[in-house]
Amino acid sequence: MTINLILSDTVRSNIYLSELIKNKININEIIIYSNKKIKYLKKTIKKNAKQQNFNFLKCKSINSKLVSKKILLSKNNDFLFSGYAGEIFKNLQILKQKRIFHCHPGKIPNFRGSTTIYYSLILNNEINCTLFRMTRKIDKGQIFLIKSFTKPKNINKIENTFDHFIRANTLISFCKKKQNKPYKKIKTNGNYYYIAHPVIRNLVLNKGNIKRVLNL
């Protein structure tokens, strides 16, 4: 499968791009937006400047007119989105005309929202990542791939390195599949989980605390 990218200048975006290139995934177009000088993607861009089609836009939001115009004028239809924290596509025209994919570190629709890895570990003792087509609603849309992962050896890196890893790994698996059809709609409302409180984080990072609190 050929993929196109809409990337903010973040560590996660750099990991996505690096892993796609390393796995020799065909990328047609890469749209990068930032209101400052490129920082996190700088080395990867410089290393692959001759092989990749980079488009740079100076703006701070995925919903800026500059980004929207660029996407709508593109001849490509399938884009992977990696934005700044909390960003959601608001342009309904883009969401209807293009397939905008997103990798979410939780099993949708059971776990929507932020830092869902912690809640998933406490409630189900599992870690999943879902690739889905975005809508204007948070973590809702057609699901195309769900992958399961084992708990990392260094649990303290779960919210940074590991989170980025499972998203990139899920994206690579999606791109390597010969056919990518959406899952049948799962009939459940699921739950929204928001930024985990330090106590929730501590329960996950300390097995003893989990057993004591849950009386296991």
Side-chain angles (χ1 to χ4, degrees):
M1 176 183 178
T2 297
I3 195 71
N4 307 282
L5 305 173
I6 305 168
L7 307 175
S8 57
D9 184 32
T10 63
V11 172
R12 182 184 301 149
S13 294
N14 188 53
I15 291 174
Y16 278 164
L17 182 57
S18 299
E19 288 300 307
L20 285 166
I21 292 172
K22 184 174 76 174
N23 283 274
K24 298 180 180 179
I25 302 299
N26 189 21
I27 308 171
N28 272 345
E29 182 178 10
I30 304 168
I31 299 171
I32 298 172
Y33 65 98
S34 174
N35 64 337
K36 299 178 181 179
K37 290 183 178 179
I38 301 297
K39 178 182 178 182
Y40 300 105
L41 285 158
K42 188 175 181 180
K43 289 184 179 179
T44 306
I45 291 170
K46 189 175 181 180
K47 184 178 179 181
N48 299 279
K50 293 181 180 180
Q51 291 78 33
Q52 303 298 331
N53 179 21
F54 292 106
N55 299 277
F56 301 97
L57 303 177
K58 192 173 183 180
C59 51
K60 62 181 180 180
S61 170
I62 186 60
N63 295 302
S64 73
K65 291 182 179 179
L66 198 61
V67 178
S68 295
K69 183 179 179 180
K70 184 68 177 177
I71 297 170
L72 287 170
L73 288 175
S74 175
K75 294 180 180 179
N76 300 305
N77 292 317
D78 293 342
F79 288 88
L80 184 283
F81 170 58
S82 172
Y84 292 113
E87 282 196 304
I88 299 174
F89 262 100
K90 295 179 180 179
N91 192 311
L92 188 58
Q93 186 180 3
I94 290 176
L95 294 173
K96 284 183 176 180
Q97 291 186 14
K98 310 290 185 180
R99 294 200 304 177
I100 309 296
F101 296 109
H102 177 61
C103 291
H104 169 74
K107 190 174 184 178
I108 295 176
N110 299 335
F111 293 89
R112 303 187 183 106
S114 179
T115 56
T116 47
I117 291 178
Y118 292 103
Y119 297 102
S120 181
L121 278 170
I122 289 175
L123 295 173
N124 294 340
N125 194 32
E126 62 182 28
I127 296 175
N128 299 284
C129 187
T130 305
L131 187 144
F132 68 99
R133 182 179 178 178
M134 295 182 73
T135 68
R136 287 201 291 186
K137 295 182 179 180
I138 298 173
D139 299 334
K140 284 193 173 183
Q142 289 180 315
I143 296 170
F144 282 78
L145 182 64
I146 299 174
K147 285 199 70 175
S148 298
F149 296 88
T150 56
K151 195 184 306 182
K153 292 181 180 179
N154 187 346
I155 199 73
N156 290 296
K157 292 185 178 181
I158 197 168
E159 203 170 329
N160 296 303
T161 309
F162 184 74
D163 181 295
H164 302 326
F165 162 75
I166 65 172
R167 294 185 196 227
N169 186 280
T170 302
L171 173 59
I172 298 301
S173 295
F174 172 71
C175 292
K176 286 185 174 181
K177 288 178 68 177
K178 292 182 179 179
Q179 291 185 333
N180 280 299
K181 296 181 180 180
Y183 284 27
K184 291 183 179 179
K185 193 172 182 180
I186 303 172
K187 295 181 179 180
T188 176
N189 291 325
N191 293 302
Y192 281 103
Y193 295 88
Y194 300 97
I195 298 174
H197 188 276
V199 172
I200 298 294
R201 286 179 164 87
N202 191 48
L203 287 174
V204 173
L205 299 177
N206 189 317
K207 294 179 181 178
N209 283 342
I210 294 178
K211 291 181 179 180
R212 185 175 68 253
V213 171
L214 298 181
N215 294 318
L216 298 178

